[in-house]
Amino acid sequence: MASSASFFLLLLCMAAVASAQLSPTFYDTSCPNALSTIKRAVTAAVNKENRMGASLLRLHFHDCFVQGCDGSVLLADTATFTGEQNAVPNMKSLRGFDVIDNIKSQVEAICKQTVSCADILAVAARDSVVALGGSSWTVPLGRRDSTTASSSLANSDLPPPFFNLTDLISAFDKKGFTATDMVALSGAHTIGQGQCQNFRDHIYNDSNINPGYATSLKANCPRATGSGDTNLAPLDPTTSYTFDNAYYSNLLSQKGLFHSDQELFNGGSTDNTVRNFASSAAAFSSAFASAMVKMANLSPLTGSQGQIRLTCSKVN
């Protein structure tokens, strides 16, 4: 028992040291124009296609929630390597790889093999939120890129849209998040779109959904599986391309697109948090920023761990 406890404490210390090595000023000397280059590229990409902001934010989440914030989600499959992009939660739905590749090329042009893909993704997520009207936060930097990926962890750890509240709280708790963190991070669904196959059961079989809202969604999402599976609907039907707190007001009106969305306001322990975020944009912004910083600190590779990839889609 003592040895197990000592080992656990060692792991906690190692995690703390890794997190402490991250710093928002990490590139101030080695690549002083890195952040402005990333911001300029993200703003241009979002201005070209508003939906891209949500895609970049989702990429960061799907990266951090698997092995940690190490850029593993960016690694493409090869004949001898299976990455995370074709795991069930990611297949044919993750987007923005080309934008990250473009940013990486721009950063490499000014600072050769200095800025990691993992850091680019973390900063791009923040800048995407800002580009769509959301509040900013300070991103700690200094992550390095993984040389591995895990399709199995992507399948097991990323919370699916059919989870109930207990499942959601448990999934986020395993990553060190509180229930309030989980509700705040779910607010990312104030932007972006969902596929019919992920909300079909909710609109046809659940009772905790606004009838008029369900009817409007059924027009583009047939009941039959395999019919219109990839048809899209906005996660926030009121302000689809603005990062605000309207997502929570939608939940109060039973207009959550996914089953898992409406579970946050369904007579359970998170109802009051949803009410608070719906009534106070400031409360949501503060909680979201705090949770995003916590997420960006999930198991980063630092120091001599991993590598700085030359191309985000493959190891050096």
Side-chain angles (χ1 to χ4, degrees):
M1 290 289 290
S3 61
S4 297
S6 298
F7 180 68
F8 180 66
L9 287 173
L10 177 62
L11 288 178
L12 287 179
C13 289
M14 289 171 65
V17 169
S19 178
Q21 290 176 341
L22 298 181
S23 166
T25 61
F26 189 84
Y27 297 114
D28 280 9
T29 300
S30 61
C31 194
N33 293 321
L35 297 188
S36 60
T37 300
I38 296 169
K39 184 178 181 65
R40 188 164 53 249
V42 168
T43 302
V46 174
N47 286 341
K48 182 178 179 181
E49 181 194 2
N50 287 339
R51 185 185 168 201
M52 186 53 66
S55 297
L56 294 175
L57 180 57
R58 185 168 182 253
L59 260 185
H60 178 50
F61 178 86
H62 281 230
D63 182 41
C64 295
F65 224 75
V66 180
Q67 293 189 158
C69 302
D70 59 4
S72 60
V73 74
L74 301 173
L75 291 172
D77 288 1
T78 69
T80 57
F81 176 85
T82 301
E84 298 163 13
Q85 295 179 17
N86 286 309
V88 173
N90 298 334
M91 187 184 300
K92 297 181 180 179
S93 65
L94 279 187
R95 307 170 69 248
F97 298 106
D98 55 335
V99 173
I100 297 300
D101 288 342
N102 176 51
I103 296 172
K104 176 64 170 173
S105 296
Q106 292 186 42
V107 173
E108 283 293 306
I110 58 173
C111 306
K112 187 71 172 177
Q113 206 170 356
T114 301
V115 182
S116 69
C117 298
D119 274 347
I120 288 173
L121 195 50
V123 174
R126 187 269 311 275
D127 292 346
S128 292
V129 169
V130 173
L132 292 174
S135 299
S136 186
W137 63 89
T138 300
V139 179
L141 302 166
R143 298 166 195 79
R144 288 170 64 85
D145 298 321
S146 70
T147 56
T148 64
S150 177
S151 180
S152 61
L153 281 178
N155 282 323
S156 64
D157 287 14
L158 288 167
F162 55 78
F163 262 11
N164 61 31
L165 182 59
T166 300
D167 295 330
L168 290 168
I169 291 174
S170 176
F172 279 79
D173 177 68
K174 289 177 182 176
K175 302 295 181 180
F177 295 107
T178 66
T180 298
D181 292 332
M182 181 270 291
V183 176
L185 289 172
S186 297
H189 283 185
T190 188
I191 54 175
Q193 302 187 56
Q195 295 184 354
C196 166
Q197 61 187 339
N198 291 324
F199 60 82
R200 177 182 282 120
D201 284 348
H202 181 48
I203 65 175
Y204 284 102
N205 299 324
D206 287 347
S207 59
N208 62 337
I209 183 170
N210 180 289
Y213 178 55
T215 298
S216 69
L217 291 168
K218 290 174 183 177
N220 196 41
C221 183
R223 180 188 289 270
T225 300
S227 178
D229 283 0
T230 58
N231 290 353
L232 298 172
L235 288 157
D236 173 1
T238 54
T239 55
S240 305
Y241 298 113
T242 301
F243 199 93
D244 55 20
N245 64 333
Y247 168 79
Y248 301 101
S249 298
N250 296 334
L251 297 184
L252 298 183
S253 302
Q254 293 191 314
K255 293 182 179 179
L257 183 64
F258 296 150
H259 175 87
S260 56
D261 288 323
Q262 198 57 56
E263 279 289 296
L264 303 183
F265 188 77
N266 193 38
S269 60
T270 56
D271 279 14
N272 284 337
T273 305
V274 171
R275 290 191 185 97
N276 180 37
F277 291 164
S279 64
S280 173
F284 164 56
S285 292
S286 176
F288 183 79
S290 176
M292 286 297 292
V293 171
K294 184 183 290 189
M295 185 172 72
N297 276 316
L298 286 177
S299 305
L301 301 177
T302 58
S304 61
Q305 299 172 318
Q307 62 180 211
I308 304 298
R309 291 185 212 140
L310 290 167
T311 303
C312 291
S313 60
K314 61 182 181 181
V315 299
N316 297 342

